[in-house]
Amino acid sequence: CRILRCNSEFVAATVHLSGGGGAALSSDSAYCGALRSYSLCTKRTARPCRGDLAYHSAVQGIEDLLIQHRCPRAGPTARPWPRPQGAVLGDACLYERSFVSREGRAPEYRHCSVFGD
Amino acid sequence: PHIRTFGDDFHTCAVQGAWPLIDNDYLYVQVTGAPASQGTHHTVVTKITIIFKSWRQCTDQQLYQAELDDVPAAFADGSQWSGERRGRRVLTVRTDSPGRHAEIRAAYIGTLLVVRQSGRSLGLSVRSPRGVLEAFHPDHDLQLCVWGCPASYRVDALRPPPLPHAAGAAEAHCAALLPTRDVYYHACVFDLTASGDLNSSGAAVGALQDARSMTGSGQGVHLLPAAAAGPAG
């Protein structure tokens, strides 16, 4: 079930829109596009998420928001999450490799431990 | 428990209940402390909870939980890894000693966590890049690994509690296990004196092993308390 990824993508697509407040958002086509993308994302993960409470909450929430913001059901969707391309971007999920290629040196590590009686 | 912070401070901390060790944009780590035995205020870690927060295209949120006598080599959902990029798994769990040890590698944040059970307590060691550790909101001001133990909960580890175990025997036992009269040695003596359980010395030995492998060099491994330094024994 990939509902957390859908949630993250929706948050990422709308985080820069939230400064305008709820009233401004209702007429914002970008917000409606993000909601439609969110809805598509939930549909793609519907089968593995069928017993997942977070999934059903998201589906219900999207429906409410589409109505609340008077978003057309059909229309453009938000730009998809940028996928890594090429060697350097492909290392985005490998912290050390990506840090070295960006900064030209290894990251500075710190250590913490908790132990004992 | 004893805490070595990211800033290389060392505290012995009598905290009960759930306390956050790390709370940043990527990671939430919490330990739960309970009294070591009835009638004492010394506490041991009995539960460790780690939440790896969902991060872009790398991994979905994952939960790891360990309890006394149950240190699983798997996340709470039963999986042993999450996220795969270019043939590498970005979040994995493995073990060297099933039920008592787990090593979690989070490659997408360059972080290594080791959970151990020694005697009747759990321990945790973490190695993480500074950039990851500093990614938190100022509101998240209670992180034992960052700020150390709150002053009112600190215990003086250089003055071990009297009884039930003779201090001389505890010192000899710990000196045989630990090469330097550093904070690990003093923690060992403290634990042995407080608990009377020879197995409790394993916690300091395991923590020193982790410090050696995580700090990568001889220098900086042995933190020396202000009042005592030099070879043990």
Side-chain angles (χ1 to χ4, degrees):
Chain A
C1 176
R2 320 288 280 183
I3 191 62
L4 290 175
R5 182 166 297 179
C6 296
N7 295 351
S8 301
E9 288 183 353
F10 176 68
V11 169
T14 55
V15 68
H16 64 286
L17 303 173
S18 57
L25 290 178
S26 59
S27 60
D28 191 335
S29 63
Y31 188 77
C32 289
L35 272 176
R36 284 190 291 266
S37 293
Y38 194 10
S39 177
L40 279 175
C41 187
T42 62
K43 281 174 186 153
R44 282 197 294 269
T45 195
R47 183 176 280 273
C49 289
R50 63 191 178 279
D52 189 298
L53 193 57
Y55 163 79
H56 290 285
S57 298
V59 169
Q60 194 61 56
I62 293 165
E63 277 302 306
D64 291 347
L65 286 170
L66 283 168
I67 294 166
Q68 194 179 327
H69 292 276
R70 298 188 184 88
C71 295
R73 300 282 165 164
T77 52
R79 204 171 57 168
W81 191 273
R83 295 288 166 188
Q85 292 172 349
V88 174
L89 285 173
D91 291 337
C93 294
L94 302 174
Y95 184 92
E96 188 163 314
R97 211 182 281 183
S98 123
F99 188 95
V100 168
S101 54
R102 196 175 61 245
E103 305 282 332
R105 61 178 174 88
E108 181 187 339
Y109 287 99
R110 298 284 180 167
H111 166 64
C112 169
S113 66
V114 176
F115 63 96
D117 196 330
Chain B
H2 311 285
I3 298 174
R4 176 180 178 153
T5 70
F6 289 125
D8 284 344
D9 289 321
F10 183 80
H11 301 144
T12 296
C13 198
V15 289
Q16 285 192 33
W19 288 72
L21 287 183
I22 301 171
D23 184 5
N24 61 41
D25 292 350
Y26 308 93
L27 199 58
Y28 180 79
V29 181
Q30 176 181 280
V31 292
T32 304
S37 56
Q38 271 195 331
T40 173
H41 73 288
H42 298 119
T43 55
V44 292
V45 173
T46 54
K47 186 174 180 178
I48 294 172
T49 304
I50 304 169
I51 297 171
F52 297 90
K53 299 179 184 177
S54 171
W55 184 244
R56 294 190 178 164
Q57 71 272 32
C58 300
T59 182
D60 294 328
Q61 180 172 294
Q62 278 289 2
L63 169 68
Y64 177 85
Q65 277 188 304
E67 293 192 61
L68 216 50
D69 299 322
D70 180 20
V71 180
F75 295 106
D77 65 2
S79 65
Q80 291 182 303
W81 62 276
S82 173
E84 188 167 357
R85 288 293 171 273
R86 308 178 85 203
R88 276 190 62 175
R89 292 169 176 177
V90 299
L91 181 60
T92 57
V93 190
R94 60 171 286 278
T95 182
D96 287 336
S97 172
R100 298 182 67 83
H101 166 269
E103 182 183 288
I104 308 169
R105 281 185 189 273
Y108 67 105
I109 48 173
T111 296
L112 171 66
L113 301 107
V114 174
V115 178
R116 295 177 186 278
Q117 178 166 341
S118 305
R120 301 302 302 159
S121 69
L122 294 176
L124 174 74
S125 297
V126 184
R127 178 185 188 251
S128 195
R130 209 177 79 171
V132 168
L133 302 171
E134 290 178 351
F136 63 85
H137 192 271
D139 288 352
H140 295 189
D141 56 356
L142 186 58
Q143 301 184 66
L144 298 186
C145 268
V146 176
W147 308 109
C149 181
S152 56
Y153 291 94
R154 287 180 203 170
V155 174
D156 186 356
L158 294 180
R159 290 185 191 169
L163 296 176
H165 214 69
E171 285 171 1
H173 182 78
C174 292
L177 294 171
L178 295 156
T180 307
R181 210 172 274 262
D182 59 4
V183 293
Y184 298 102
Y185 166 81
H186 286 284
C188 174
V189 172
F190 183 96
D191 292 351
L192 210 52
T193 313
S195 68
D197 177 10
L198 287 178
N199 291 325
S200 70
S201 57
V205 173
L208 178 58
Q209 275 174 8
D210 290 337
R212 278 199 183 114
S213 65
M214 289 183 174
T215 57
S217 70
Q219 274 197 336
V221 171
H222 300 286
L223 289 182
L224 300 178

